[in-house]
Amino acid sequence: MDFGREVTGRLPAAESREWLCTNGLGGFASGTVAGVATRRYHGLLVAALTPPGGRTVMVTGLHERVTYDRVTYELAAARWADGSVAPQGFRLVERFFLDGTTPVWHYACADALIEKRAWMEPGANTTYVRYRLLRAGAAGTVRLELRALVTHRQFHATTRGPGWRMAVSPIEHGLGVLAFEGARPFSVLVPGATTELAHDWYEGFRLGAEEARGLDALDDALHAGTFTTTLSADRPVLVVCSAEPRADLDGEAAWARRRAHEMQLLLAWRRTRPAATPAPSWVEQLVLAADQFVVSRPLPADPGGLSVIAGYPWFGDWGRDTMIALPGLSLSVGRPEVARRILVTFARFVDRGMLPNVLPDAGEPPEYNTEDAALWYVEAVRSYHEATGDVDALRAVFPALEKIVEGYLVGTRYRIREQYFKAYPVCRWAQPAIEAALALRREHGIDASHITSI
């Protein structure tokens, strides 16, 4: 994934290509190559406050301004309600590429070349943005000004700002934001920079993708403060956007953790392949992309529970999609332990023989509105056992499998028993034997697995 000016310098091309960073909790950062926000879901920090749900847009972006050799350059880009685009920082992007899953921009400001990259901390609602001066002329340094734009809203919504007074306060290395009483506080930190607090609403960002979908397409963001610092070849500038109580301000260490996480993913996948069979680089990109969909779903009885996001930017974790995708997202990339944890997690949600299609978000009950998710669960268990031979895992989820079989035989929601036995003659043929096996097991404690197999 590597674009030059033929893409980055043409707004229709650059704003139609999107990037995504995730944190394994359900939180993410996303945007367009151009820097123009086109979705309500675009932002530098979309935190998952109740993983993998409770996704909340907190930091919508940074508007960067560079002064180099007495000339000022705007790196940001935005489209406004009247259709105008200003500033137009995309015109300065010489190159955009992905380093693993990390988006990287190179901005050419006269003979200076500035690199910007953004990534998320694995397992934390923290986004890092790092600026480096790759090249400079006689001036040697650039003055970097960063305007932090924030909000605090559910990620399906949009913001109407005027009249909303957030509490923006100075803290060590930056500023803290409390959007309203009871909200999760968050911070924007720039170590070594001068911080000037503000409270100015930028009104009327026009979101083109939402407009195309026929939805509310105007969004506001609060300019909470401006950071000013100097960028030089030996002194990068780090921005930390975080909803965590404490975030690591060591940019090199944070970047090393991100790289180590992705290297572990690639090594796990490579161990599944013959050493003499090289794969093209785009396959490795798919391996890394697969990890972006695996998310934490902690439960009281299972703090290490895992699930799968059905799709970015707006879907949550859905039972049907999770089971269909499970072999490809875990077994095919050498991560059977992920498959096991997902299967054990979902076993706890089996109800009347059904698997939920939509799992709870922020305390909501599961929605059992899919007829075949439980059947895909059985197939996922079969795939896992075939790949690993893990009998202990099979024992752990076997009660859930029994509930599924019994639910489909005895009958459950949506007239499933009636519909399935009408639709599939083989099921009608097997019904008496399976019902007899279940009755024996239920009434007498007899292991009737041989009858079930018949």
Side-chain angles (χ1 to χ4, degrees):
M1 191 72 69
D2 200 330
F3 302 131
R5 287 190 181 274
E6 73 284 355
V7 170
T8 62
R10 297 195 300 106
L11 184 56
E15 71 175 346
S16 67
R17 289 167 166 83
E18 301 178 59
W19 56 269
L20 172 74
C21 302
T22 63
N23 64 358
L25 298 177
F28 60 91
S30 68
T32 69
V33 170
V36 175
T38 61
R39 301 184 188 276
R40 61 190 65 188
Y41 308 98
H42 285 161
L44 282 179
L45 179 60
V46 183
L49 301 183
T50 54
R55 284 173 285 184
T56 303
V57 183
M58 293 181 162
V59 181
T60 61
L62 297 169
H63 276 205
E64 309 103 330
R65 178 180 293 160
V66 165
T67 302
Y68 172 68
D69 199 16
R70 293 178 294 182
V71 178
T72 297
Y73 303 87
E74 298 279 0
L75 306 189
R79 177 178 281 105
W80 302 95
D82 62 2
S84 62
V85 178
Q88 298 188 3
F90 63 90
R91 297 185 181 277
L92 302 176
V93 180
E94 184 173 272
R95 181 188 179 200
F96 173 89
F97 63 97
L98 291 181
D99 183 358
T101 62
T102 297
V104 184
W105 294 260
H106 284 176
Y107 294 90
C109 304
D111 60 349
L113 188 65
I114 298 169
E115 178 188 272
K116 170 186 174 181
R117 65 176 59 217
W119 71 93
M120 294 199 81
E121 177 77 20
N125 286 307
T126 300
T127 301
Y128 292 94
V129 183
R130 188 179 70 184
Y131 300 86
R132 291 197 304 159
L133 185 60
L134 302 182
R135 182 183 71 218
T141 63
V142 300
R143 180 175 182 269
L144 180 61
E145 180 182 296
L146 304 167
R147 283 164 286 168
L149 303 184
V150 305
T151 185
H152 194 293
R153 59 170 170 80
Q154 202 266 356
F155 77 146
H156 291 309
T158 53
T159 299
R160 293 294 176 268
W164 180 2
R165 188 75 190 179
M166 297 190 192
V168 181
S169 57
I171 59 176
E172 187 177 12
H173 303 299
L175 60 86
V177 179
L178 181 65
F180 51 85
E181 192 67 32
R184 174 77 70 88
F186 62 95
S187 59
V188 183
L189 310 174
V190 186
T194 299
T195 306
E196 182 180 351
L197 300 187
H199 201 286
D200 307 315
W201 282 101
Y202 286 19
E203 299 178 52
F205 289 99
R206 187 169 178 176
L207 309 175
E210 305 298 339
E211 188 174 25
R213 297 171 64 210
L215 301 177
D216 180 15
L218 294 181
D219 192 39
D220 301 342
L222 177 68
H223 171 213
T226 300
F227 302 93
T228 305
T229 187
T230 299
L231 180 64
S232 61
D234 60 352
R235 185 178 179 275
V237 172
L238 182 72
V239 182
V240 185
C241 309
S242 183
E244 304 295 342
R246 298 185 66 181
D248 188 359
L249 300 184
D250 186 336
E252 292 304 315
W255 175 242
R257 287 193 296 273
R258 181 77 242 177
R259 294 297 294 149
H261 174 77
E262 296 190 353
M263 185 55 65
Q264 289 173 1
L265 298 173
L266 293 175
L267 290 175
W269 170 70
R270 289 168 184 163
R271 284 194 292 267
T272 69
R273 298 179 49 77
T277 309
S281 59
W282 59 264
V283 176
E284 293 194 348
Q285 197 69 51
L286 291 176
V287 172
L288 297 179
D291 176 64
Q292 293 182 306
F293 294 87
V294 178
V295 294
S296 173
R297 178 165 276 283
L299 302 172
D302 185 12
L306 290 182
S307 188
V308 170
I309 290 293
Y312 290 97
W314 53 73
F315 290 127
D317 51 339
W318 292 6
R320 185 176 192 270
D321 299 62
T322 295
M323 296 309 141
I324 293 173
L326 182 143
L329 296 183
S330 58
L331 303 177
S332 296
V333 295
R335 303 177 71 193
E337 74 284 353
V338 169
R340 174 173 180 158
R341 289 170 63 186
I342 292 172
L343 293 171
V344 170
T345 299
F346 273 78
R348 301 180 185 278
F349 287 99
V350 174
D351 181 79
R352 295 172 59 189
M354 295 185 70
L355 211 66
N357 196 41
V358 179
L359 271 71
D361 185 355
E364 299 170 357
E367 296 181 19
Y368 293 85
N369 56 6
T370 174
E371 291 185 338
D372 62 348
L375 303 181
W376 283 109
Y377 180 84
V378 175
E379 168 58 18
V381 172
R382 184 207 63 77
S383 297
Y384 172 78
H385 184 261
E386 181 181 59
T388 65
D390 186 351
V391 177
D392 289 338
L394 188 59
R395 289 194 181 100
V397 302
F398 194 78
L401 298 177
E402 287 186 304
K403 292 177 183 176
I404 291 169
V405 172
E406 187 167 13
Y408 275 71
L409 289 174
V410 175
T412 183
R413 303 172 179 87
Y414 307 116
R415 300 167 56 204
I416 280 179
R417 176 182 182 276
E418 177 182 344
Q419 291 182 352
Y420 271 81
F421 285 117
K422 282 184 179 179
Y424 303 107
V426 66
C427 293
R428 292 200 303 271
W429 175 84
Q431 180 180 359
I434 296 175
E435 288 184 336
L438 291 171
L440 285 170
R441 188 179 182 98
R442 183 170 55 251
E443 296 173 12
H444 304 291
I446 297 174
D447 183 358
S449 58
H450 63 288
I451 300 178
T452 304
S453 66
I454 293 173

